[in-house]
Every structure is written in C-alpha cells, then in structure tokens.
Amino acid sequence: MSLVSTVTIPTTPAAATTQAIPAIDWQIDTLDLDAYLRRVGLPAEPPSAQALSALHEAHVRTIPFENIDVILGRTPSLELADIAAKLVHRQRGGYCFEHGLLFAAVLERLGYEVRRCVARVGFAKPDAPATHLMLLTRVGGDRFLVDVGFGSGLLTPLPLTDGASTDHGGWPFRLRRDDRFWLLEKPVDGAWRVEHGFDETPQRPIDYVVGNHFVATHSRSPFTRRLVVQRKDRGHVRKLTGRGYQVEYADGRPTEARTVTADKLEDVLRSLDIVVDGDDLARLRQVYAGEE
C-alpha cells in the first residue's frame, strides 16, 4: 500500500491564500528508513525541533552535493527508489531534487508535516529559473525552512520567521519576508545578499521533472558546464568546481586552493566521500580532462 501525502501547512496571515494540496503519492513507503538512518548515523526519534535540527545537519554533513550524473550526460532519476539507491546505498550524492525528495520522504516517514516547494536561485535576476527544491515543515507551533540540497548553504533548519537569523557552521543565514516571498540571505562583503527566494506554493512531482530536465540538460544550467561537488561541515566547506579545489573557513583563515587534474580526480572525489569507478570513472576523467 502506498502512503499518500495530503498534508496542508497553513500559511501565516500575511501570506497568500493557501491552495488545497491534491492527494499525491510521493512513494515514501519505498524508502528503507533504517538504511537511511544508518547512512547518516542517527536513530529514529519522534518529531521535535531538536531532532529535526540533528537530522538536517547529519544529512548535510554525510551525503555530498554533486552533479556527476549530469556531467556524464545523464538526467538524474527522481524516482524515490532510484534516489535512495544512489544516495543511501551507494557512496554517492546528488543535487537539490535528489536531496530534497529523499529528505522529505524521511521526514514524513518519521511523522513530520512536509510541504515540497521550489525556490528561485538568484532571485533578483529577471531570467533566474525557479528550479531549486526546498521544503517547509512544522514542529508544534513553529515552522521551518528545510534545505538540505543547497550545497554549502544551511546546515540546520531555519525558522520560517521574518528576520530570523541563525548560524550554520560559522556562516550566518537569515530569512526576510517581501510581500508573498521569503528571501534567504547571507552576508557578502558586509551586506546581506539574496541566495534564493520562494513562496509557499506546494509543488507536484511533474514540476520537479520539468525543473530537473532544465537543470540537467540546458546550456544555461550551471550544472551542465562543469563538475560541482560541495561538502559543508562545521567551520569549513570543501568544494570542487571544475578544475578548482577549495577549502573555505568560517573563521576568516585564507581559502586553500589548488588545481585538480584528471589523473588526480578519483583521489579528490574519494576525499569528498564519493566513489566513482569502472566505466563511469573512465568517462568522467575523459570529460573532466576536456575542462582543463
């Protein structure tokens, strides 16, 4: 029997009128919850703000953000069983659609209310597509932005409150309300910069299929042009972007940077907790060498 998501999370009085969420089968019963919890190293706990925070951080610190399948010419599957096979049962990661759909299923299986939404990265740009999957959830009387698939973004949930600002491994983020939109911001060069913006409209599976197709195939997508791997932890972020490997520190230490050649790619990926081997590794090296 399939578990069907019919959750409605009420909006705040200032928000736009809530639309009814149709009954949608997100296939959450296909998830091996015990295997996921072993992957992130946590036990199952009843819903609470503390448990949600611990689970969010464990996910971000354990499962990498990466676009290897896209670089290999594949559009990542958004079937939950396929996502779990890759992110839970193999030593791989994924990007926002994979992370978000997996984490939403985990939360619902644990008893949380979840709304699957979409954000527009580079919100102020007129041509910025709405292609970032993020989640809203409620614990008791409090609501949170849950965003495990934003690369080096949130480490823990951010309270869905105008002006809320919290620390994320040494980097602050805040939410600001602008009419019906929520804007996620971080400080850059002494000023708050918008990272992405979203409203509370619930999405359907087909919405993510459309966005995933754009992100995985379009020439304007940042993920079709170069390899992107990110690992966030407390105090530092490790990144492989194209040929450049960087370690950024929250305490202001200088960024460590070096160039990675194709023959060193496997070692660097393994240091980022990603295992690619066989034909995929050979093909990835070939494509990666073309970036050099």
Side-chain angles (χ1 to χ4, degrees):
M1 179 179 68
S2 295
L3 301 180
V4 178
S5 173
T6 57
V7 172
T8 297
I9 301 178
T11 58
T12 57
T17 302
T18 303
Q19 297 178 351
I21 302 177
I24 294 173
D25 182 2
W26 293 98
Q27 301 179 338
I28 68 172
D29 57 330
T30 67
L31 176 67
D32 185 340
L33 181 60
D34 290 337
Y36 172 86
L37 293 171
R38 287 194 299 270
R39 173 83 156 107
V40 301
L42 289 180
E45 294 187 5
S48 71
Q50 182 178 6
L52 176 64
S53 181
L55 190 64
H56 192 294
E57 180 170 344
H59 182 108
V60 172
R61 294 174 67 181
T62 302
I63 305 179
F65 180 97
E66 49 103 328
N67 68 330
I68 291 172
D69 280 355
V70 174
I71 295 301
L72 291 174
R74 304 170 185 152
T75 298
S77 171
L78 298 190
E79 293 294 320
L80 185 59
D82 294 335
I83 295 172
K86 179 181 172 186
L87 276 65
V88 175
H89 299 285
R90 295 162 56 198
Q91 198 168 336
R92 284 287 305 276
Y95 57 16
C96 69
F97 297 107
E98 298 163 284
H99 280 277
L101 291 174
L102 173 62
F103 201 67
V106 169
L107 292 182
E108 288 187 335
R109 288 284 297 276
L110 290 171
Y112 290 89
E113 298 179 1
V114 177
R115 174 173 290 186
R116 296 160 177 84
C117 298
V118 67
R120 195 179 299 275
V121 179
F123 185 78
K125 299 178 181 179
D127 60 347
T131 54
H132 175 63
L133 189 160
M134 31 63 64
L135 311 172
L136 302 178
T137 189
R138 177 185 294 281
V139 182
D142 298 318
R143 296 194 302 153
F144 296 90
L145 166 63
V146 171
D147 202 354
V148 295
F150 198 48
S152 58
L154 302 187
L155 195 59
T156 56
L158 185 54
L160 197 68
T161 304
D162 188 18
S165 178
T166 53
D167 177 83
H168 298 264
W171 288 271
F173 283 84
R174 79 174 184 184
L175 273 176
R176 179 167 59 87
R177 192 65 181 266
D178 184 0
D179 193 22
R180 69 186 180 92
F181 294 103
W182 293 95
L183 305 179
L184 177 68
E185 301 177 320
K186 76 173 184 180
V188 177
D189 297 328
W192 288 98
R193 183 182 74 185
V194 176
E195 295 295 285
H196 67 57
F198 60 92
D199 64 16
E200 300 180 27
T201 304
Q203 302 296 295
R204 307 180 187 186
I206 189 61
D207 300 320
Y208 296 132
V209 170
V210 172
N212 186 45
H213 177 72
F214 175 89
V215 172
T217 66
H218 200 281
S219 60
R220 283 182 47 215
S221 167
F223 299 113
T224 60
R225 298 193 294 267
R226 58 184 179 178
L227 183 64
V228 179
V229 181
Q230 298 186 3
R231 300 301 314 276
K232 184 163 190 173
D233 208 326
R234 290 198 169 270
H236 69 273
V237 176
R238 295 174 289 158
K239 299 179 179 181
L240 177 62
T241 307
R243 292 173 290 164
Y245 177 82
Q246 293 185 330
V247 183
E248 298 176 358
Y249 295 97
D251 61 7
R253 276 181 285 170
T255 297
E256 298 176 11
R258 60 186 172 92
T259 298
V260 176
T261 55
D263 61 307
K264 299 296 183 183
L265 182 58
E266 181 182 12
D267 292 339
V268 172
L269 289 176
R270 285 182 179 270
S271 76
L272 294 166
D273 302 317
I274 295 173
V275 174
V276 182
D277 51 24
D279 292 342
D280 279 355
L281 179 60
R283 174 59 181 155
L284 184 61
R285 279 177 171 157
Q286 182 181 27
V287 175
Y288 190 77
E291 296 181 0
E292 296 178 8

